[in-house]
């Protein structure tokens, strides 16, 4: 005898800002693949880079 279970419909909790983040990651990966990236020597340079974004 088989049983049937009703599962509630999934609602998207996906927000527009998550789309922006995903789009940014994809763009960054494409840039990296094409050789466009920045080499940072240490954590301080990384911190400065993020502050300037």
């Amino acid at each position: 005898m088989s049983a049937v279970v009703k599962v509630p419909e999934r609602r998207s909790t996906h927000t527009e800002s998550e789309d922006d983040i995903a789009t940014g990651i994809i763009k960054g990966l494409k840039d990296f693949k094409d050789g466009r990236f920045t080499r940072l020597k240490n954590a301080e340079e990384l911190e400065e880079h993020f502050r300037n974004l």
Side-chain angles (χ1 to χ4, degrees):
M1 190 171 197
S2 60
V4 176
V5 178
K6 185 173 181 176
V7 178
E9 185 178 325
R10 281 188 171 183
R11 292 185 185 157
S12 177
T13 57
H14 197 78
T15 64
E16 194 171 303
S17 65
E18 288 173 340
D19 287 340
D20 293 342
I21 292 169
T23 301
I25 291 170
I26 292 168
K27 182 184 179 305
L29 290 172
K30 287 179 182 176
D31 285 345
F32 181 79
K33 179 183 170 201
D34 293 339
R36 291 185 297 271
F37 56 90
T38 303
R39 292 186 189 270
L40 302 170
K41 296 176 186 168
N42 53 42
E44 288 78 24
E45 283 188 7
L46 177 63
E47 182 181 0
E48 184 67 25
H49 174 74
F50 282 133
R51 269 194 247 134
N52 292 322
L53 292 178

